[in-house]
Amino acid sequence: MTTIMDKSEATKHVVSQRIRKKLTWREIADEIGKPLAWTIAALHGQHPMPEADARGVGTLLDLDESVIESLRTQPYRGTFDNPIPSDPTIYRFYEALTVYGPAIKEMIHEEFGDGIMSAINFTLTVDRRPDPEGDRVVVTFDGKFLDYRF
Amino acid sequence: MTTIMDKSEATKHVVSQRIRKKLTWREIADEIGKPLAWTIAALHGQHPMPEADARGVGTLLDLDESVIESLRTQPYRGTFDNPIPSDPTIYRFYEALTVYGPAIKEMIHEEFGDGIMSAINFTLTVDRRPDPEGDRVVVTFDGKFLDYRF
Amino acid sequence: MTTIMDKSEATKHVVSQRIRKKLTWREIADEIGKPLAWTIAALHGQHPMPEADARGVGTLLDLDESVIESLRTQPYRGTFDNPIPSDPTIYRFYEALTVYGPAIKEMIHEEFGDGIMSAINFTLTVDRRPDPEGDRVVVTFDGKFLDYRF
Amino acid sequence: MTTIMDKSEATKHVVSQRIRKKLTWREIADEIGKPLAWTIAALHGQHPMPEADARGVGTLLDLDESVIESLRTQPYRGTFDNPIPSDPTIYRFYEALTVYGPAIKEMIHEEFGDGIMSAINFTLTVDRRPDPEGDRVVVTFDGKFLDYRF
Amino acid sequence: MTTIMDKSEATKHVVSQRIRKKLTWREIADEIGKPLAWTIAALHGQHPMPEADARGVGTLLDLDESVIESLRTQPYRGTFDNPIPSDPTIYRFYEALTVYGPAIKEMIHEEFGDGIMSAINFTLTVDRRPDPEGDRVVVTFDGKFLDYRF
Amino acid sequence: MTTIMDKSEATKHVVSQRIRKKLTWREIADEIGKPLAWTIAALHGQHPMPEADARGVGTLLDLDESVIESLRTQPYRGTFDNPIPSDPTIYRFYEALTVYGPAIKEMIHEEFGDGIMSAINFTLTVDRRPDPEGDRVVVTFDGKFLDYRF
Amino acid sequence: MTTIMDKSEATKHVVSQRIRKKLTWREIADEIGKPLAWTIAALHGQHPMPEADARGVGTLLDLDESVIESLRTQPYRGTFDNPIPSDPTIYRFYEALTVYGPAIKEMIHEEFGDGIMSAINFTLTVDRRPDPEGDRVVVTFDGKFLDYRF
Amino acid sequence: MTTIMDKSEATKHVVSQRIRKKLTWREIADEIGKPLAWTIAALHGQHPMPEADARGVGTLLDLDESVIESLRTQPYRGTFDNPIPSDPTIYRFYEALTVYGPAIKEMIHEEFGDGIMSAINFTLTVDRRPDPEGDRVVVTFDGKFLDYRF
Amino acid sequence: MTTIMDKSEATKHVVSQRIRKKLTWREIADEIGKPLAWTIAALHGQHPMPEADARGVGTLLDLDESVIESLRTQPYRGTFDNPIPSDPTIYRFYEALTVYGPAIKEMIHEEFGDGIMSAINFTLTVDRRPDPEGDRVVVTFDGKFLDYRF
Amino acid sequence: MTTIMDKSEATKHVVSQRIRKKLTWREIADEIGKPLAWTIAALHGQHPMPEADARGVGTLLDLDESVIESLRTQPYRGTFDNPIPSDPTIYRFYEALTVYGPAIKEMIHEEFGDGIMSAINFTLTVDRRPDPEGDRVVVTFDGKFLDYRF
């Protein structure tokens, strides 16, 4: 009697096959017709995948059935080993929050009132903006405003 | 012989006078002709303010000379008391990083190669996007791409 | 030039005057016509108080104008000095989360699908339920369900 | 000579078989005639299961004898890897405690005197309350009041 | 308008006056007719003191009214600055828990079943037991057994 | 060439066989004629077991020679994964220390002078004290007093 | 279906073969014509290796294909198990930062203005400087200056 | 009877007067004929200052005698509030250590054998190296090699 | 009504007067006829001082009566702000423990059996041992052996 | 292709064989003619062993070649799982540092000036000193003095 594969293990399989098949994340996302960030997050164990999507990815990447089964399950979310992430590419966003956190908070309150940007009803994109001094990474967080209501 | 006022103390004066004068952060930023997020961050002790800007804010908010002097100094940056911020409005961004961190990292590497988004050559905006199901908070992180070069 | 009183300082004034005036939190909440939990939380610096409410409390408790001004400001939320609260009355709820957290998560997912209970669009009540073996504390968390939507 | 299976391992078996058998937690709880939250908690290693219950679940889910043996043992309780839980569905309850902890404490003391809500003589339910603006998650913590007695 | 003195401040006054008056904790406890451990804990801000007791201590120690007022208030309990106490006299008890914690747990479960010793309905004594090889400190923790009931 | 079994592994074997043989810890302790708490602690890897005791337990529980060998080795003591234990049965003792730590310290100093209760020359018992309002758990820490001597 | 070897595992293979082949890191770096520090860092899982380099190292060290495949993948960077490194050779640099951090910061700001030394567009060398009182380790950090630009 | 001023307080005075006098750290270091990094570190409370140096700085900056007295005392070294520094200018060095720590360690061992670079018999410089793609910050750590000798 | 001065405050007074009077710790210890390490530790708030000693030091250093009163009180021991000390002179001892901890433990067990070196019945000396390659610091920890006895 | 055995694994082999061969650490140290503390530390993975020593120990203890190979490699030093060690035999030294740390620091500075005791050019012995009141453990730390030189 085997248990369902851990999502961290399933992620390793996805990542390995993606590299070996020389596929981009974009190609995988396009295959299943889902947004890019959602697709990568789901394949890193952060969202449960609908069966059709899991099967689509499985076919494209030649994944075992046990991986597909794992991708469909409900996750415990969160990817940080430590409260402060060590990888520089991720850390820069943490740093930006420590420097601009109060500014973001003030701008949200000034524009919307007392409340938050939802991280649940939420999407995310990463884009390239050409710039003669060096192209820029543009990351957009887009979440529904929720006001405090008691 | 007095020392220059701590920036955290200067922030309290700015925040207090802004509320009492019933001014928005936008009005303050417009007064000195600087971007909104930069202005709020600088007035929360995260950037040194050029003398003209500090004076402009000082006049608008009736700040003492000691506050203006403090705003001009070079900061030690960082606003978190704890590695994980407790305020819900700020926490949602931290949570988004824990869930989407690897997705952001993968998208940057796929689009740009091995490197990071600069948090130094960097701007930030917060916008409202109307939506019939509830307006949305759109936060844009915009930083220069830096590739690993040894 | 004085700054607006810290909310932690304002809380001390509210708490002190409530004890000296021998008023219950219920009487304070009734005076301003607000829910009990919201009132106590707001008076502990966790919600900004509308001017009328702050004035109402101020009159009832004989608070200085500086306290009333503080109660009206937007807070940085969060009341824990340490990630794990030491006070036994609060700790029991933390313990219940460590023991029943996965059960709560599973029940939410089974009943509602993938998502969360909002802690923003959220109310809370504490009630007494008589019981011959000893009365019971009944704490109800009531928040809007938010489903993950990308 | 084999040792009794770790409860975390047993949980994986239960969770895997539940998904494969397409059974809800409710159906499992009904099968053994136990409250829903207790059943899920016990099957996540937080309560020892009486033999009849463990066998009932074992039959329903086709569990190996080694899993059933594990479910019956006395646990070391607690499910958090870190003091602050990262999963958003669970975190919202932690956040609610950080914001409303003092309010809960004050309401308990005002209604019952100096003491605590027991987390041992304690039950928990999760319900759906229909609401035109979006249905609500209603989580009820119900524990015996214990007063400080020296 | 002054706030009620912090309990940590009140403790300093009690401790200072006790030393200056050359009184033992035992004499203070006897004066108010309360158990020794309870008295010391209450005077270290861990229990609210009934008015009569606070006045009794106040008269004995010549405390200001502001100290007496503070002793009567409901505390946030907990005296550790860090999770692991540094003072050797207190640390030895923490060490005993790290070494004998599972033994205590097993003995409670074997004798009483699944449950805990209450730390609320609880008393504590410290005694000297003469011993030719050196007298012994005997600390007795005495709490009501509470069984897990859902 | 195999290494001596880790004590944590040996503990699992002991615990598993005790349950399967339906033996109490008391019966095991009686078999080897050692105090109950010492026996459980030693079998949880906190004390090295003399060969005769390890053999006695091994015979009673049908343990492999490799387990017996492990029980005899000198341990690295300490059983907490985290500074604050999560299991409620153990936590209540930690909580009692956070609330009564200074009281215990003061009582020791008042009765014995400056020093500590030894956690090395130390015994521990757990007893049941019948009580019409619910039986009580009585845990006694008994350690030699050691005075500070430089 | 196997997954790509973890980089930590690949590092063990590289380190093991280097020792067995009695090769210096310098010889490995020279073989592939890359800087020494970059080569060691890459072979410790901190940089993705171009295929030619990975193959060159693989041939020199007789590495399995699975190791070479691993060396080529994009890493999650960071090598510290704990925020403060315990190894004395590495700790001394951490200590130097705690003592000279503000001095470094001030010298950068005085010479370059408000900004940072890039750790991305960055190289590193370690040299020996003969000295009659004992040779010296000279470690040079060389990164592009990035000024704060909003 | 006053105590000697804390070094953190003395640092504030030095920093404040330096800004008001519009002096560079270089000018201060030149005045007393000491290396730049040593001077800044000493004036940030990390080294005791010889009397002549303290007086020289005191005269240049118009410092009170109490500041000069403080500068001369032996420090407790270390400037980090948290194990991981939040200021970006300092953090980049911490990041470089997490990425290149093992490389530095290996290069030291390969060149010198088993040992460390001293952080006590140690100097530090920060230089600007012009570069058409953007000038570079060159930080040199220079410490005596100490080999492990038992 | 004043409280007894905190020991940390008393330490500042002692340290300040010692420097101003140009007295060595040795001279202070000799004046009161106590061991050097004990004297310094007691004057840093780690031991209560007998009245005669406190008065002797008070006279020698011209201390206020409030400082002398503080020196006599029973301390909460422990001088570390963080678990890992940042000061290099103290850190080296912590490092030696992390490297040689198991060796010390094994040597104690081999020579004495299962037990510990007491840190209560304990003395400490620091000596200089001349050495042509550089004089050596010799720190001797001398504590009574305590064997585990249950 | 196998990797070199982890030093923690090699330590387990050494420790296991020492017990089975009934050899003391002293006998092992004498066999190879090295100091006792160095030998134990090296065999616990804290020093690289010269080939002759590793072979000598290997012959004496009947170790596999893979263990001998591991003993010879350069270590990452440090043996603590947590910043504060839980084992009582090791903890007492940590405690002694928290209590006497400032005294040690002051004595070093008074005798030698500003600097540290080296933990690299460093030896350690553990001795028994007979005492009628109970024999004493005498642990001597002996390290070269290094003065701060910039």
Side-chain angles (χ1 to χ4, degrees), chain G residues 78-136:
Chain G
T79 64
F80 285 5
D81 283 341
N82 295 109
I84 300 178
S86 69
D87 183 75
T89 309
I90 299 176
Y91 180 81
R92 291 305 179 277
F93 291 86
Y94 180 82
E95 181 177 302
L97 279 192
T98 69
V99 173
Y100 295 102
I104 294 172
K105 180 176 165 71
E106 292 293 332
M107 288 189 283
I108 289 176
H109 294 330
E110 184 155 307
E111 176 65 32
F112 293 89
D114 187 16
I116 65 160
M117 174 203 75
S118 178
I120 307 299
N121 189 326
F122 172 85
T123 62
L124 171 77
T125 54
V126 173
D127 295 294
R128 176 195 284 265
R129 190 157 61 69
D131 188 299
E133 294 189 28
D135 287 3
R136 298 181 73 84

Side-chain angles (χ1 to χ4, degrees), chain A residues 83-97:
Chain A
I84 300 179
S86 69
D87 183 75
T89 310
I90 298 176
Y91 180 81
R92 292 305 179 277
F93 290 87
Y94 180 82
E95 181 177 301
L97 280 192

Side-chain angles (χ1 to χ4, degrees), chain I residues 15 18 23-27 36-38 40-41 44 46-47 77-80 82-85 87-90 92-129 133-146 148, chain J residues 15 18 23-27 36-38 40-41 44 46-47 77-80 82-85 87-90 92-129 133-146 148:
Chain I
V15 166
R18 186 188 75 88
L23 288 165
T24 62
W25 291 111
R26 172 67 71 191
E27 289 165 330
L36 181 57
W38 182 89
I40 304 175
H44 280 74
Q46 297 300 304
H47 292 302
R77 290 175 166 99
T79 64
F80 285 5
N82 296 108
I84 301 178
D87 182 75
T89 308
I90 299 176
R92 291 306 180 275
F93 291 86
Y94 180 82
E95 181 178 301
L97 280 191
T98 70
V99 173
Y100 296 103
I104 294 172
K105 178 176 166 72
E106 292 292 333
M107 289 189 283
I108 288 175
H109 294 330
E110 186 156 307
E111 177 63 33
F112 294 88
D114 187 15
I116 65 162
M117 175 203 75
S118 178
I120 306 298
N121 189 327
F122 171 86
T123 62
L124 171 79
T125 54
V126 173
D127 295 294
R128 174 194 285 264
R129 190 157 61 70
E133 294 188 30
D135 286 2
R136 298 181 74 85
V137 182
V138 180
V139 179
T140 308
F141 288 21
D142 175 330
K144 186 179 177 184
F145 175 70
L146 304 178
Y148 262 97
Chain J
V15 166
R18 186 189 73 88
L23 289 164
T24 61
W25 292 110
R26 172 68 70 191
E27 288 165 330
L36 181 58
W38 181 89
I40 304 175
H44 280 76
Q46 297 300 305
H47 292 302
R77 288 174 167 99
T79 64
F80 286 3
N82 295 107
I84 301 179
D87 183 74
T89 309
I90 299 176
R92 290 308 178 276
F93 291 87
Y94 181 81
E95 181 178 300
L97 280 191
T98 68
V99 172
Y100 295 103
I104 294 172
K105 180 176 165 71
E106 291 293 333
M107 290 189 282
I108 289 176
H109 293 331
E110 184 155 307
E111 176 64 33
F112 294 89
D114 187 15
I116 64 159
M117 175 204 74
S118 178
I120 307 299
N121 190 325
F122 173 84
T123 61
L124 171 76
T125 53
V126 173
D127 295 295
R128 174 196 285 265
R129 189 157 61 70
E133 293 188 29
D135 286 3
R136 299 181 73 84
V137 183
V138 180
V139 179
T140 308
F141 287 21
D142 175 330
K144 187 180 177 183
F145 177 71
L146 304 177
Y148 263 96

